Amino acid sequence: MKEFQENTRDLLERLNTDGSVGLSTGQVDAQRERYGSNTLTKEKPESLLKRIAEAASEPMILMLIMAGVIALIVNIIRATTGSEADFLECLGIFAAIFLSVLITVIMEGKSAKAFEALSKISDDTMIKVIRDGNTVLLSQKDIVVGDIVLIATGDRVPADGRLLQSSGLASDESALTGESVPAKKDALLLIPDEKTPLAERANMVYSGNYITSGYGKMVVTAVGDHTEFGNIARELTSVERASTPLQEKLARLGKTITILGIIAAAIVFVSELISFSLSGGLTLEAVLDAFVTSIVLIVAAVPEGLPTIVAVSLSINIIKLSKQNALVKKMIASETVGCINVICSDKTGTLTENKMTVSAFYDGEWKEKTGELHSDWLVHNICLNTTADISPDSSFIGNPTECAMLSFYQNSKACKISGKSYKEERSDHDVLHAFPFSSELKHMTTISKVDGKIISYVKGSPECVFSMCSLSDDKRSEIEAYIVKAQERAMRVIAFAHKELMEMKDYEDELHHNAMEKDMVFDGFVAISDPLRADVYDAVKHCRMAGVDLKILTGDNIITATAIANELHILDNGRLAVEASEIADMNDDELLQMLPKISVIARSTPSTKMRVVKLLKSQNNVVAVTGDGINDAPALKNADVGIAMGISGTEVSKEASDIVLLDDSFSTIVKAIAWGRGIYENFKRFIQFQLTVNVSSVIVVFTSIILGFKAPFTALQLLWINIIMDGPPALTLGLEPIYDDLMNRPPTGRSDNIISKTMFLRIGLTGLYISVIFLCQYMFNFLGATDQEMTTVLFTLFALFQLFNAFNCRELHATSIFKHLLKNRIMLLVISITFLLQILIIQFAGAFFGTVPLGIIMWLKIFGLSFSVIIISELVKLLIRRR
């Protein structure tokens, strides 16, 4: 039996304490030994070396390390055999490794931050506790199970506890449950159902939440790690970050390319050994040359620039996203966000403003223009029959519902006409007596002296206020119709009434109190809501267009959650709204079948959110979780992308997330998805370009050697081709701007290969075309080069083919390259400079590169032939568009 189900006598007996006297001094140590202390256990932080090792074990970093080691071996062999070695190439690769690891450690080396932030919630404060029959102040960390704690408005609850007494008690549990309205508490309530959700356990209060009204007495039932917050802390530290879709795809790609490169290199090495054996030239020097050739082939095959482009692109786009109000904390998330196809969003503070607002009112007629308030009766009831306040910076102090009403008055015509703030209204009239709100009475009454008259003001639930008023059936039906209209829109209705009293009596007396609350005059009501953020409607619409499914996982009740979902049209087409209790008993297979139809899960707990996220990921979805509360933190950390609110979010949710929205705007998520998709497409552009170079270079080297020709490139020429392949010309493809149609396409699936079928065909056919033309020139010399020019012509032809093909790689679809030609001006500049450098190398650096100057006619022939790679690509795309 849970503590909220037990009667208080049995609970006190089980916990070995007394509700009036509390624990004795001698009992405290025994209770601490048995139930634990009121602190959260801290995990040992990871060492710097471990963090560096983890950063270096990323698939793309491992690929870079492998390329660096291979390059180092190649150059050591070259140096030992008297060939020309270039260790600057190795230095460049290892510098890239160092920078990538450094960035990763700095950006992601805060694994314990979420837990540290959670611990801050339990910062040491002084608590009123009854011990040995005396009320004493104790440090929060000294509280133990069985302590009797006194709580009142403004206090933070120091531990989980069962209420023994309560009067008008309410607790703000939004950070834990997602419920935006303070939870009313009742010490006398007995809850029979063990599965009652946390948000409905009205006889319990929970650690870390604030008391918004009333006072009470509780017995501590759980401390430290065993509290609800402690359970979240354990889930938070036990969550292991799974690899992201991009990391998985890069790992698969790198493994495939490396295996194919090694196989090709092994075939070349064996072929050369056989050739040397048959010709009788099998010497140590020949074997080393064959080994160098095979290693060079591996270097040509492995895309060592890929990790660099990933790091550079992600770093640049992190800066760009920060300008869009999205602070990316984990580098890889700036790309992963583009693959999102499911967003699991909290409601309170994420889709809504988490600030109670009067959205409509009734003062004889229904009004949705809230500035139109001018009823003196409503004004006095709002100002005099409330105890909350609003700070100078407009933040709420006290009960959020009362604060919403005060804000409603402050912005009304009535306030402007009178020129009086609610504080001045209070100071101008004497409050003679007040009966605070209680869950039993469901209303609050204040007796005030107004303009020489004694007036009783009541506010409370409509049913309660109706019972105090004399209303005709027709009038009541009319008012109730407006109330239903408000409730269908997830609004909370507070009704008002007043009565003029002939004289001040002892209204504490039950007889006089009952007489005072009869035959009252009904003044109207206000309809209060937690409104949707202004930008949410368009953002959700754009998500739908982009093929991104939105699911609301909220701690709020089913009625409010359904109303919000209907406003956003996410329950259309037979989608379902359910309560967490309805799916709790389902096994994973049953829930997996229902999840595609479910769009709202009300009364969601942290464990419910975690379960849903894990099941969605098991179906190969790329899942984002948005939230601002402590209850959202485990799901934020377990998602592919955790997105926290920067303004309203708790420190725990921010630290557990990958991206923090600096403006708390849901529409910023849509912008981030667009940027993420753009980054992903830029990777594909770069990969398409680099693999085309790889394929063509492997084919020409492999085929030349198999056919008995010498390798077509010298070491320095191959280095220059690698610079084109991995250096600035290739990197500028990662800077392609975001195209307009990105959000009209379906998201990329987790299991989708980063190389699509279209890309595969383009890489294969373009690489084959370049190789065939190159080999034809090598074998048949149709350009008419002299024997001295042949090496130079081959080198230049291959380099220019790749540079022109870079333009083809800018477009991944059937769009012409000329549509967006001028949008990436950095690329145009870099490619132009590379063309110029190629000319300068050939004409003036022959001694270094083993080339000879070419005449203008030969240059024109080479330019024309290499440009054909663009012409053929454009003709093919034209045919596709026409089809």
Side-chain angles (χ1 to χ4, degrees):
M1 183 179 284
K2 301 286 180 70
E3 55 270 10
F4 57 83
Q5 295 176 273
E6 290 183 85
N7 64 57
T8 53
R9 187 185 67 255
D10 292 344
L11 179 64
L12 291 169
E13 186 177 332
R14 178 169 67 81
L15 297 178
N16 197 25
T17 188
D18 186 289
S20 302
V21 179
L23 295 172
S24 67
T25 306
Q27 287 179 288
V28 173
D29 288 338
Q31 294 288 89
R32 187 176 289 113
E33 183 69 27
R34 183 177 179 185
Y35 297 106
S37 60
N38 198 25
T39 55
L40 297 175
T41 305
K42 291 188 177 181
E43 292 283 320
K44 187 179 178 182
E46 288 183 344
S47 67
L48 180 61
L49 282 176
K50 187 177 179 184
R51 285 162 52 196
I52 291 171
E54 285 180 356
S57 65
E58 290 286 331
M60 54 187 178
I61 303 297
L62 286 174
M63 224 157 59
L64 196 58
I65 291 170
M66 185 182 67
V69 170
I70 290 170
L72 186 61
I73 292 169
V74 168
N75 284 288
I76 288 171
I77 292 170
R78 285 174 181 166
T80 55
T81 56
S83 300
E84 192 170 354
D86 186 0
F87 289 100
L88 284 176
E89 182 183 25
C90 307
L91 186 64
I93 294 173
F94 285 111
I97 294 169
F98 174 76
L99 285 173
S100 296
V101 171
L102 184 67
I103 290 168
T104 304
V105 168
I106 291 171
M107 296 294 292
E108 301 181 10
K110 300 177 181 179
S111 57
K113 279 281 188 172
F115 191 83
E116 288 169 15
L118 196 61
S119 298
K120 288 178 187 174
I121 294 167
S122 300
D123 279 345
D124 211 16
T125 50
M126 302 307 287
I127 311 298
K128 284 183 184 177
V129 181
I130 298 175
R131 283 216 183 145
D132 293 315
N134 301 313
T135 301
V136 294
L137 284 174
L138 291 178
S139 172
Q140 180 170 325
K141 64 175 185 275
D142 294 330
I143 302 292
V144 295
V145 169
D147 264 326
I148 308 301
V149 177
L150 303 176
I151 48 177
T153 304
D155 288 346
R156 186 171 63 189
V157 182
D160 291 0
R162 169 69 184 273
L163 290 170
L164 302 176
Q165 294 174 12
S166 64
S167 177
L169 194 68
S171 174
D172 179 2
E173 296 179 347
S174 60
L176 190 62
T177 65
E179 175 69 76
S180 53
V181 178
K184 296 179 178 62
K185 298 297 178 180
D186 183 358
L188 300 177
L189 185 68
L190 277 178
I191 302 171
D193 187 2
E194 184 181 345
K195 294 179 182 176
T196 302
L198 189 143
E200 295 176 9
R201 298 173 193 170
N203 58 9
M204 295 287 296
V205 286
Y206 294 99
S207 172
N209 294 316
Y210 285 88
I211 303 301
T212 57
S213 63
Y215 57 89
K217 183 163 75 170
M218 62 177 257
V219 56
V220 174
T221 56
V223 293
D225 292 337
H226 304 290
T227 62
E228 290 297 326
F229 277 175
N231 292 335
I232 291 174
R234 278 202 306 278
E235 289 183 23
L236 210 55
T237 52
S238 65
V239 168
E240 290 185 9
R241 173 67 66 178
S243 58
T244 66
L246 178 66
Q247 289 169 320
E248 292 166 7
K249 289 168 185 176
L250 287 176
R252 288 198 299 267
L253 178 64
K255 187 184 292 184
T256 304
I257 291 171
T258 303
I259 290 170
L260 291 175
I262 290 169
I263 290 170
I267 292 170
V268 167
F269 183 61
V270 172
S271 300
E272 287 204 277
L273 290 182
I274 293 170
S275 176
F276 292 145
S277 297
L278 293 174
S279 61
L282 187 61
T283 63
L284 178 61
E285 188 175 344
V287 171
L288 283 174
D289 283 341
F291 183 68
V292 168
T293 302
S294 60
I295 293 295
V296 165
L297 197 60
I298 292 176
V299 172
V302 175
E304 63 264 32
L306 185 56
T308 309
I309 184 65
V310 169
V312 170
S313 290
L314 293 179
S315 299
I316 289 170
N317 281 286
I318 282 172
I319 295 168
K320 289 181 178 178
L321 279 169
S322 69
K323 293 176 181 176
Q324 301 286 330
N325 290 311
L327 176 64
V328 179
K329 294 174 60 218
K330 294 179 174 64
M331 193 187 295
I332 203 77
S334 66
E335 180 279 329
T336 309
V337 71
C339 302
I340 291 167
N341 69 320
V342 181
I343 298 176
C344 295
S345 177
D346 183 30
K347 178 187 75 69
T348 307
T350 304
L351 296 173
T352 65
E353 294 178 358
N354 196 19
K355 191 170 185 180
M356 305 303 286
T357 304
V358 174
S359 300
F361 70 101
Y362 177 88
D363 62 353
E365 57 182 299
W366 174 261
K367 296 174 183 174
E368 294 197 30
K369 291 184 178 179
T370 52
E372 299 293 327
L373 172 67
H374 48 70
S375 164
D376 285 343
W377 295 117
L378 284 186
V379 167
H380 286 146
N381 209 322
I382 288 169
C383 295
L384 306 180
N385 196 20
T386 53
T387 58
D389 279 295
I390 298 175
S391 69
D393 65 355
S394 299
S395 59
F396 287 2
I397 303 170
N399 185 290
T401 303
E402 290 191 352
C403 291
M405 291 189 285
L406 293 174
S407 179
F408 164 56
Y409 165 69
Q410 295 281 74
N411 295 311
S412 69
K413 282 185 179 178
C415 181
K416 291 171 185 173
I417 291 168
S418 70
K420 291 181 180 180
S421 68
Y422 75 89
K423 290 182 179 178
E424 289 170 323
E425 285 285 356
R426 287 175 179 175
S427 61
D428 286 353
H429 303 97
D430 296 327
V431 174
L432 304 176
H433 195 80
F435 299 92
F437 179 89
S438 72
S439 54
E440 295 85 7
L441 297 175
K442 294 187 178 179
H443 68 276
M444 176 178 177
T445 305
T446 299
I447 303 171
S448 299
K449 195 167 187 179
V450 180
D451 301 328
K453 299 176 181 176
I454 299 172
I455 310 291
S456 169
Y457 295 104
V458 169
K459 76 172 193 297
S461 69
E463 299 80 9
C464 178
V465 174
F466 279 149
S467 68
M468 301 177 185
C469 299
S470 301
L471 282 170
S472 68
D473 291 343
D474 288 346
K475 191 65 177 175
R476 179 164 176 168
S477 296
E478 177 195 333
I479 296 168
E480 284 178 336
Y482 288 121
I483 290 172
V484 169
K485 180 179 179 180
Q487 289 174 334
E488 285 176 347
R489 290 165 57 186
M491 295 180 183
R492 185 183 182 209
V493 174
I494 305 294
F496 302 97
H498 79 277
K499 181 178 182 179
E500 184 176 346
L501 305 178
M502 301 309 296
E503 57 182 316
M504 186 64 190
K505 296 181 180 178
D506 179 13
Y507 287 104
E508 292 280 6
D509 175 78
E510 187 176 347
L511 186 65
H512 291 151
H513 192 136
N514 290 338
M516 176 189 70
E517 293 179 349
K518 283 183 180 176
D519 299 320
M520 301 192 82
V521 178
F522 185 84
D523 296 324
F525 66 81
V526 294
I528 298 173
S529 65
D530 182 7
L532 284 167
R533 296 179 182 276
D535 57 1
V536 164
Y537 299 96
D538 286 340
V540 171
K541 182 181 176 183
H542 285 129
C543 281
R544 199 176 294 119
M545 287 170 57
V548 179
D549 187 23
L550 175 64
K551 297 185 186 295
I552 299 176
L553 274 56
T554 177
D556 225 329
N557 63 69
I558 189 77
I559 296 170
T560 305
T562 302
I564 294 291
N566 282 325
E567 266 193 85
L568 295 172
H569 302 289
I570 67 170
L571 288 178
D572 298 349
N573 304 317
R575 292 298 190 98
L576 303 174
V578 299
E579 284 199 342
S581 57
E582 294 176 48
I583 62 173
D585 292 332
M586 290 183 185
N587 62 42
D588 286 352
D589 290 336
E590 290 171 335
L591 184 53
L592 274 170
Q593 286 185 331
M594 280 196 68
L595 266 182
K597 296 178 183 177
I598 296 174
S599 287
V600 175
I601 302 179
R603 294 297 189 210
S604 289
T605 62
S607 57
T608 303
K609 294 181 181 184
M610 282 271 285
R611 185 186 180 202
V612 169
V613 169
K614 286 179 179 178
L615 289 178
L616 286 169
K617 286 173 69 175
S618 73
Q619 292 182 311
N620 283 330
N621 292 296
V622 180
V623 183
V625 171
T626 71
D628 64 343
I630 293 160
N631 61 319
D632 300 313
L636 284 168
K637 195 170 182 184
N638 192 61
D640 289 303
V641 184
I643 304 171
M645 302 294 121
I647 299 171
S648 62
T650 59
E651 286 303 309
V652 181
S653 64
K654 292 177 199 174
E655 292 298 343
S657 66
D658 303 298
I659 296 175
V660 178
L661 303 183
L662 301 178
D663 58 356
D664 280 16
S665 171
F666 192 82
S667 64
T668 303
I669 298 172
V670 179
K671 293 177 189 172
I673 290 173
W675 276 101
R677 289 187 177 187
I679 294 168
Y680 187 75
E681 291 219 332
N682 285 348
F683 289 154
K684 292 176 80 170
R685 292 182 178 101
F686 174 83
I687 288 167
Q688 181 171 309
F689 171 73
Q690 195 171 54
L691 292 189
T692 305
V693 181
N694 287 344
V695 167
S696 52
S697 60
V698 168
I699 290 174
V700 297
V701 172
F702 183 80
T703 309
S704 298
I705 291 168
I706 295 296
L707 293 175
F709 291 88
K710 68 173 185 176
F713 307 120
T714 66
L716 273 176
Q717 288 172 356
L718 189 63
L719 176 61
W720 174 247
I721 290 167
N722 270 337
I723 288 172
I724 293 174
M725 185 172 77
D726 301 325
L731 293 176
T732 55
L733 284 169
L735 303 177
E736 200 70 18
I738 305 299
Y739 290 171
D740 298 334
D741 62 344
L742 270 176
M743 294 299 283
N744 296 330
R745 300 181 201 153
T748 304
R750 179 185 287 275
S751 58
D752 291 358
N753 201 314
I754 197 165
I755 303 176
S756 63
K757 289 180 180 177
T758 306
M759 281 177 65
F760 188 81
L761 281 171
R762 281 189 184 179
I763 291 165
L765 293 175
T766 306
L768 188 62
Y769 172 75
I770 292 170
S771 303
V772 168
I773 299 298
F774 179 92
L775 290 168
C776 285
Q777 169 57 28
Y778 198 4
M779 290 186 285
F780 306 116
N781 190 20
F782 60 84
L783 289 177
T786 65
D787 290 343
Q788 290 82 8
E789 288 178 335
M790 179 58 83
T791 302
T792 306
V793 167
L794 290 173
F795 169 49
T796 306
L797 180 64
F798 192 85
L800 265 57
F801 258 135
Q802 307 309 334
L803 289 174
F804 279 123
N805 188 51
F807 289 96
N808 289 336
C809 295
R810 287 181 63 186
E811 295 295 344
L812 297 170
H813 308 281
T815 310
S816 169
I817 65 166
F818 299 105
K819 181 178 180 181
H820 303 115
L821 185 63
L822 300 178
K823 286 193 173 180
N824 189 350
R825 296 189 178 180
I826 294 176
M827 184 208 174
L828 295 176
L829 177 64
V830 170
I831 294 287
S832 300
I833 291 170
T834 310
F835 269 121
L836 181 61
L837 286 172
Q838 181 71 31
I839 294 169
L840 293 175
I841 283 169
I842 300 303
Q843 299 302 110
F844 305 106
F848 293 100
F849 283 87
T851 59
V852 295
L854 300 175
I856 186 68
I857 300 300
M858 184 55 71
W859 273 111
L860 290 174
K861 286 180 182 178
I862 294 171
F863 263 93
L865 185 58
S866 55
F867 188 77
S868 66
V869 77
I870 288 179
I871 295 170
I872 289 173
S873 175
E874 286 298 295
L875 287 172
V876 170
K877 286 192 280 188
L878 180 63
L879 289 172
I880 292 170
R881 290 198 299 272
R882 290 198 169 179
R883 282 181 61 190

